[in-house]
Structure formats: C-alpha cells, structure tokens
Amino acid sequence: MPKTERRRRRYTEQIGRKAAENICHAFDYATYINRPLNTYVVINLTALPEDTCAAQAFEDIRHKFRDWLNRKHKKADGASEPPRYVYTMEAPNGDNHANWVLHVPERFLPEFRNKLPQWVARVLGSNRPYDIDVQQVAPGTDKTLAKYVIKGTDPYYIGYLHLSAVAAPQGRVFGRRCGASPAIGRTMRKQVGFVANRDRSKWRRKAA
C-alpha cells in the first residue's frame, strides 16, 4: 500500500487530554524562556495536490519555516536557534485548516509575513488570498488563545481544561492532529525540570 494511502487511513476525531495539556504547557514554557508564542497563523488546506494529506502538507510548510529561521539566525547572530511553536489541525466541515501559534522574533516578522505565502504556494501548488491569516498575539492573551486552539479536545476533559466557552467538535483529521515543537515540547520541559503549575508565577513575572 502506498505510504500516502497508509497515512490517510490513520485519523482522529478529537485531541486527547495529554496532547491538549502538552500544548498548554508549551505556551507556558515559551513565555518562561522569553520566547513567547507571539504570532497566530491560520492556513486553509483545502486546495491540496492529489494524494496529499493535509497534515503532511502542513508539516512541509513547517519545515520551510524551520529552515528559513535557521538561516536568519545564523546570518544575524552567527548561531542557529530552534523553532518554537504549537499547532492543531481541524476539519469541522470536512475542510482542513491548521492553527499555528509560533514565536517569530520581532525583527524577522516582516519577512516572515512575506515568505509564508510563498511556502504555502510551493506546498499546495497555489496560494489564494484567503488561504492565510496572520495575527499578532497580544501580551497576556496567550492562554486564552491556547484554549481556543485546543477546542477540539475530547469532551470528557472540557471541564478539567476549562474549555466550556470554546469547545466544539473539529472533525476527522488524517495524520498527526496536533503537537508542539521539540524546543518547547514535553521532553525538553522534563529535561530542564520545568513544571507549569509550580513555575507559573515565575513565567508570569517574566511576561510582565
């Protein structure tokens, strides 16, 4: 069976508790290390090339961002810096789109806004004006945004995660539904001993 077909057969209907918590804690940790997730991007992934999985297409876009960011840091600072972001895939009406919240250094933001449509066009084969929306994340609103991007979480955990104001089914997604980049993910947080509940007051002081 072709690889793309195997990928299409794997799907989820919702975000699990651990995955949802991972995204929330990644927001916390990004702020704690002074790399807040300051840019919110929504990418419409309906115009896909034949036999392309939306999750795979979005992964290709993320890779282009990673390579670009690496080049920018090396040129500006002489050393690379890893990408920091979280994402969720949604398809509430069968139409795939990605919620992508990432840290983009302020000095690189104008170029990021110019480059993103090019990356999307290369991956999707086209770039319609309404396929991309980029917004800046206002300081202090990141946790509200975190709840919004995980609104497709398993209904059993809506109360536990305080999602009642935003929770809604987000459809069937083939491929990986959500995640956090390694630089702010669960493994990194464990390595440095970061505990969101214990350290929340510290990163809030840093954000102030």
Side-chain angles (χ1 to χ4, degrees), residues 29-46:
Y29 183 61
T31 301
Y32 180 74
I33 62 173
N34 200 31
R35 298 294 187 274
L37 303 184
N38 61 354
T39 306
Y40 175 41
V41 178
V42 178
I43 304 177
N44 200 341
L45 296 165
T46 56

Side-chain angles (χ1 to χ4, degrees), residues 29-167:
Y29 183 61
T31 301
Y32 180 74
I33 62 173
N34 200 31
R35 298 294 187 274
L37 303 184
N38 61 354
T39 306
Y40 175 41
V41 178
V42 178
I43 304 177
N44 200 341
L45 296 165
T46 56
L48 293 168
E50 187 177 357
D51 294 329
T52 301
C53 172
Q56 181 60 53
F58 180 51
E59 182 179 338
D60 293 343
I61 294 168
R62 298 197 309 273
H63 285 173
K64 292 183 182 300
F65 165 70
R66 177 199 63 194
D67 294 344
W68 168 81
L69 185 68
N70 186 49
R71 290 194 299 271
K72 293 297 293 182
H73 274 296
K74 282 187 174 180
K75 184 176 181 180
D77 308 322
S80 61
E81 187 163 330
R84 296 175 175 91
Y85 59 77
V86 301
Y87 71 90
T88 59
M89 300 290 297
E90 297 178 342
N93 301 306
D95 295 330
N96 290 276
H97 66 268
N99 295 302
W100 190 19
V101 194
L102 58 163
H103 175 75
V104 182
E106 294 287 338
R107 56 187 169 157
F108 299 157
L109 269 171
E111 185 173 337
F112 171 78
R113 286 177 173 271
N114 290 331
K115 288 288 187 181
L116 181 58
Q118 299 175 29
W119 301 332
V120 173
R122 288 172 188 165
V123 172
L124 301 186
S126 65
N127 179 26
R128 300 171 296 183
Y130 49 85
D131 279 340
I132 304 170
D133 182 50
V134 181
Q135 301 177 34
Q136 292 309 111
V137 180
T141 66
D142 55 339
K143 294 313 291 287
T144 299
L145 179 57
K147 291 179 181 180
Y148 179 77
V149 299
I150 62 169
K151 60 186 178 294
T153 295
D154 183 344
Y156 185 81
Y157 298 105
I158 288 173
Y160 170 71
L161 293 169
H162 308 289
L163 302 177
S164 57
V166 294

Side-chain angles (χ1 to χ4, degrees), residues 15-23 157 186 189:
I15 299 172
R17 177 184 63 83
K18 289 184 178 180
E21 287 182 324
N22 182 40
I23 288 174
Y157 298 105
R186 187 179 292 109
R189 298 194 307 269

